[in-house]
Amino acid sequence: MSKTAPGSTTTKCPECKSKRVVRDYEKGELLCSSCGLIIAENIHDMGPEWRAFDAEQKEKKARGGAPIKYMRPNKGLVTEIDQYNRDIRGGKISPKKQAQLYRMRKWHKRVSIATSMERNLVIALAELDRVASSLGLPENIKESAALLYRKAVKEELIRGRLIESVVAAVIYAICRLQGIPRTLDEISRVSGIEKKEIGRAYRFIKTELKVDVPLTDPAQYVPKFATALRLGGEVQEEAVKLIKKALRKGLISGRGPTGVAAAALYIASAMHGEKKTQKEVADVAGVTEVTIRNRYRELKKELGLKVNL
DNA sequence: AAGACGAAAGTGGTTGA
DNA sequence: TCAACAACTTTCGTCTT
């Protein structure tokens, strides 16, 4: 990547022409600090010369080639030392060498047993790296996820579960813990594991490892959606304000965070004369118009908003 | 013609007996 | 393990702009 100091860049914001574009390593985003536009999301370490606003666009823009699949565990990872004390031509080997081979076999066996866990990790970490990179998650997230996965292995929680689904679950958990908005849908798409599979594995490790995951704050999704909708900073602030108010008020408990974020953005966009249709907002948020209407009606009533749309 | 609205029925997941 | 339940979706008819 570039050699600029962490956080700062030489990029100019395409929206407001400001030079105050910074990298947010936490979220893996490149954003303009004066207007709030996310210029690039899911920043790769390996040089993103394109822009992508969300996972879908990213998939379209990313170069071709099927995702790497680790078909067979252990492929190329296991060495064998046979039991015949011969060299490759079949000739006898000196007793000294034989003793050496014996020791090698012995240790090889021990190491192999000790590393059935390690082997699992090799596969899992490769998968973790692949998925996390596809999602543009930064290093520290990968590290945390790897740590959590190790814990899961140690507790023998993988048995009967696909390694890939546990990996996906761990990533999902860490993202939520760190407040980085990645939906189950996105993770499902890049990992190729069904949403409900990930959800199940996630719930399992969450309870078994007693990981305390706070419920997602809808405000976390605001910048993401707003950028996809090309909505400015003021609208985002407005939406976040609405969410905060709603949170303090009755509650948003039980509601899907994406739906709430979508409704807040919908209202905020109308308040600032940059109105988007329900369908537009619904599409980027991954919910239906009906859900937006429901949330929007609740918000309007609870907050006593007098917005005419 | 497009967007917004809401009713009704269906789906998948959670929860508690 | 099953049934009740809440959130969300799908579908569709109607109203508004």
Side-chain angles (χ1 to χ4, degrees):
Chain A
M1 236 184 228
S2 82
K3 290 192 180 101
T4 43
S8 70
T9 66
T10 52
T11 319
K12 236 204 274 184
C13 174
E15 202 62 32
C16 69
K17 308 294 174 219
S18 157
K19 284 193 179 158
R20 299 176 51 211
V21 173
V22 294
R23 286 203 189 90
D24 186 335
Y25 287 110
E26 276 279 297
K27 297 189 177 179
E29 291 167 349
L30 197 62
L31 57 90
C32 171
S33 57
S34 62
C35 73
L37 179 81
I38 298 178
I39 294 153
E41 194 183 26
N42 301 348
I43 303 172
H44 267 233
D45 289 339
M46 305 306 288
E49 52 277 316
W50 30 260
R51 297 166 29 151
F53 293 115
D54 56 33
E56 281 102 319
Q57 282 192 30
K58 185 169 185 304
E59 253 169 45
K60 284 184 209 138
K61 294 184 184 188
R63 279 145 293 214
I68 304 152
K69 263 292 167 197
Y70 297 89
M71 302 305 294
R72 287 300 313 152
N74 304 342
K75 254 283 148 49
L77 295 176
V78 178
T79 52
E80 294 290 342
I81 304 175
D82 66 36
Q83 76 243 40
Y84 306 109
N85 292 323
R86 307 276 167 151
D87 63 24
I88 44 173
R89 277 180 295 272
K92 283 248 165 76
I93 307 177
S94 70
K96 202 172 173 184
K97 286 275 182 196
Q98 283 187 26
Q100 195 185 358
L101 274 176
Y102 172 76
R103 285 195 301 276
M104 282 172 71
R105 261 186 239 119
K106 189 165 91 183
W107 277 104
H108 186 260
K109 203 166 240 167
R110 285 184 191 172
V111 168
S112 298
I113 292 165
T115 57
S116 77
M117 192 167 100
E118 292 292 321
R119 252 184 275 147
N120 181 317
L121 277 176
V122 169
I123 300 167
L125 294 182
E127 171 71 3
L128 193 151
D129 195 65
R130 184 184 73 79
V131 175
S133 292
S134 288
L135 290 166
L137 298 171
E139 276 312 311
N140 61 328
I141 296 296
K142 285 187 202 170
E143 288 300 313
S144 314
L147 198 69
L148 190 59
Y149 187 87
R150 277 173 200 278
K151 241 191 247 178
V153 174
K154 218 172 277 175
E155 305 281 323
E156 313 209 320
L157 301 178
I158 318 295
R159 189 156 312 168
R161 255 163 276 271
L162 252 58
I163 289 176
E164 285 90 342
S165 55
V166 179
V167 167
V170 163
I171 290 177
Y172 179 64
I174 295 295
C175 282
R176 285 188 56 169
L177 276 173
Q178 306 274 340
I180 299 175
R182 293 290 181 274
T183 59
L184 264 184
D185 277 302
E186 286 176 288
I187 296 178
S188 169
R189 207 173 298 124
V190 299
S191 71
I193 305 291
E194 274 183 75
K195 218 167 61 169
K196 71 176 181 189
E197 269 299 315
I198 302 176
R200 198 182 324 176
Y202 162 69
R203 233 172 301 122
F204 186 74
I205 65 167
K206 191 178 76 174
T207 54
E208 291 296 319
L209 257 39
K210 62 164 183 61
V211 186
D212 210 15
V213 184
L215 35 140
T216 313
D217 180 359
Q220 287 170 5
Y221 289 107
V222 167
K224 193 184 168 99
F225 296 161
T227 301
L229 290 166
R230 307 183 179 283
L231 288 169
E234 310 140 43
V235 180
Q236 294 189 30
E237 280 173 36
E238 189 72 51
V240 171
K241 238 188 281 175
L242 286 172
I243 292 170
K244 289 242 164 74
K245 259 195 264 178
L247 212 65
R248 225 175 292 126
K249 201 94 175 182
L251 216 355
I252 309 180
S253 71
R255 259 93 242 235
T258 48
V260 177
L265 264 175
Y266 173 65
I267 297 173
S269 77
M271 288 170 72
H272 285 260
E274 301 181 46
K275 178 165 185 195
K276 299 288 170 187
T277 66
Q278 292 180 355
K279 182 154 192 353
E280 287 175 296
V281 183
D283 281 345
V284 305
V287 297
T288 60
E289 305 161 56
V290 182
T291 302
I292 292 191
R293 283 199 289 274
N294 291 336
R295 293 299 89 77
Y296 147 66
R297 202 171 14 175
E298 289 165 6
L299 286 179
K300 194 163 140 191
K301 195 159 115 195
E302 290 304 313
L303 304 181
L305 294 174
K306 61 254 167 229
V307 208
N308 30 338
L309 295 156

